[in-house]
Amino acid sequence: MIEDSHGCIDYDESGEGRTVVLVPGSCNTGAAWRPVIAQWENSYRCVTTSLLGYGGTLERRSADDTDIAHEAVVLEAVIRRVGCPVHLVGHSFGGLTALAVALRARVPLLSLTIAEAPALEILRHMGEYRHYLAFRKMSESYSKAHQAGETTAIEQMIDFYGGAGTFAAWPQRVRDYASQTTAVNLLDWASAYGFELTSGLLATVKIPTLVLWGEASHPAAKRANQLLGQCIPDAAVATIAGAAHFMILTHAREVAGMIERHMARAEGRVAAAAAVPAN
């Protein structure tokens, strides 16, 4: 745990070697990354945290101030605690937060991996209104259901991402946690809609980037991440065969392998650049 002046921040690490900071999505804690971490068998120093309002990380946003910068500041504190350049990996809203950190360029990153971020505003900026409105329709319906007192309103959001029946198939404790953190998740959506992404802004990302999405994911989620891959210079992109949004759980081996290869390529580029003689 990091005892920050603005509130506690979850911090945990395991393993040794190159440092990877793994950021979970909404309704989750760093424990969401355990299936992926297990694939690496302690061959990396894996640092995990939780986003604002989840786990032990204190919420800093309000209904009047949902700026994603609040999330970025928390993640930057985690990276500073690590004490060295890191490979930054984020899933879902954690991927969007990781992108915000990369764009702010205030902490040293070796590479960036984004696993199906809700990059809503790049859809709108690029004129992909059908996909943008799919997100809008879902999030507005879900919000209204929550305001009407439906205790499992978040099922709409989970099933939008994972397909019909996804929420019902989760263990009861996982469903309970998602339902209990619905108000926090609605702040996440407000943060995502307020994060104005443009092709010009994404063109400023200068670190090696990998963008992943699931083959069976919602078309709007896939398209948003395809656009990220197109707009970030020299970004690598990959589809996880057979996976939907919750790929870090259902397809941990494939995700772990893709991240590992991306990190190796990024370090190879750094080594090659360092070997070039100075003029």
Side-chain angles (χ1 to χ4, degrees):
M1 185 73 71
I2 297 174
E3 300 291 341
D4 187 83
S5 59
H6 295 287
C8 296
I9 303 170
D10 271 353
Y11 182 97
D12 193 26
E13 65 174 81
S14 62
E16 298 180 355
R18 293 172 286 179
T19 303
V20 189
V21 173
L22 298 145
V23 191
S26 300
C27 310
N28 270 306
T29 67
W33 283 101
R34 286 175 183 165
V36 170
I37 292 172
Q39 298 294 318
W40 292 331
E41 299 179 337
N42 292 317
S43 57
Y44 299 101
R45 179 191 179 198
C46 293
V47 174
T48 58
T49 188
S50 304
L51 295 173
L52 290 170
Y54 302 107
T57 302
L58 188 69
E59 181 62 80
R60 303 182 185 188
R61 299 166 297 176
S62 68
D64 296 325
D65 182 10
T66 57
D67 194 330
I68 200 168
H70 294 299
E71 297 280 12
V73 167
V74 165
L75 187 47
E76 287 163 356
V78 170
I79 294 169
R80 290 190 183 100
R81 170 71 173 270
V82 167
C84 64
V86 307
H87 295 282
L88 182 58
V89 181
H91 172 245
S92 193
F93 188 56
L96 196 66
T97 300
L99 175 59
V101 168
L103 288 165
R104 284 161 59 92
R106 299 184 185 188
V107 288
L109 304 180
L110 295 171
S111 73
L112 172 66
T113 299
I114 299 167
E116 208 165 291
L120 313 170
E121 289 303 298
I122 193 61
L123 288 168
R124 188 172 63 85
H125 171 71
M126 301 294 283
E128 299 274 353
Y129 299 117
R130 177 172 62 88
H131 292 310
Y132 178 77
L133 290 174
F135 274 112
R136 274 288 184 188
K137 180 179 178 181
M138 176 276 294
S139 59
E140 289 175 1
S141 173
Y142 154 44
S143 178
K144 288 177 181 177
H146 174 67
Q147 292 169 5
E150 292 186 24
T151 57
T152 59
I154 202 167
E155 182 174 7
Q156 293 186 42
M157 187 272 290
I158 299 300
D159 285 5
F160 174 88
Y161 271 131
T166 298
F167 182 81
W170 283 359
Q172 186 64 51
R173 61 177 179 79
V174 179
R175 283 181 279 160
D176 288 346
Y177 187 70
S179 296
Q180 291 161 12
T181 56
T182 296
V184 180
N185 179 248
L186 288 169
L187 288 177
D188 297 345
W189 282 101
S191 296
Y193 282 116
F195 186 16
E196 191 163 342
L197 291 171
T198 66
S199 55
L201 182 62
L202 291 170
T204 67
V205 176
K206 301 302 181 185
I207 57 174
T209 300
L210 170 66
V211 184
L212 304 174
W213 57 83
E215 179 185 37
S217 292
H218 192 285
K222 289 196 286 187
R223 186 58 184 150
N225 285 267
Q226 289 166 356
L227 290 173
L228 290 182
Q230 290 174 22
C231 295
I232 296 173
D234 301 318
V237 299
T239 302
I240 308 294
H245 184 72
F246 300 102
M247 61 187 75
I248 66 173
L249 173 64
T250 62
H251 290 69
R253 180 177 61 82
E254 293 88 342
V255 171
M258 288 184 177
I259 295 170
E260 189 168 34
R261 289 189 291 274
H262 175 60
M263 292 190 297
R265 287 193 298 268
E267 292 185 358
R269 287 174 55 175
V270 171
V276 175
N279 292 331

